[in-house]
Amino acid sequence: MHAPLNRPHPLCQHVVDALLKCHEDNPFKKFLGACNDEKRNLDYCFKQEKIEARKKNLERARAFKVKLEKRREAAKAAAE
């Protein structure tokens, strides 16, 4: 099973297009493994896309945490 193909996949769009084209060209053979290579490439690309998203989210979370600590320090200094 893979992610929905109708949403944008900026890093993997070329692989998505290749899989969809293979499915169009092989309407019945796709069930017998004709598009397995494209599917394998798609799974790998989606995995890489997910790793990138995790990295970006982690960076955003760390930046937010630093901001929050600065606010707390400022509030604590203002209270004293």
Side-chain angles (χ1 to χ4, degrees):
M1 197 69 180
H2 52 71
L5 301 179
N6 59 354
R7 72 174 181 87
H9 296 280
L11 301 176
C12 302
Q13 194 58 46
H14 63 286
V15 183
V16 170
D17 294 339
L19 179 66
L20 293 176
K21 182 171 179 358
C22 183
H23 282 186
E24 281 181 21
D25 295 345
N26 303 297
F28 297 109
K29 289 183 181 179
K30 69 181 176 185
F31 298 114
L32 301 174
C35 301
N36 283 354
D37 292 336
E38 287 83 357
K39 174 68 168 87
R40 198 171 304 113
N41 293 338
L42 183 71
D43 290 341
Y44 178 77
C45 191
F46 281 168
K47 184 176 181 179
Q48 296 304 315
E49 190 178 68
K50 193 171 192 174
I51 289 170
E52 277 298 313
R54 275 193 215 132
K55 285 180 186 177
K56 287 179 185 177
N57 287 340
L58 181 61
E59 290 170 6
R60 283 185 22 226
R62 286 181 176 160
F64 179 76
K65 187 175 179 180
V66 168
K67 247 187 204 182
L68 189 61
E69 287 297 320
K70 287 181 182 179
R71 284 184 195 165
R72 287 181 181 163
E73 290 172 5
K76 186 178 179 182
E80 292 176 350

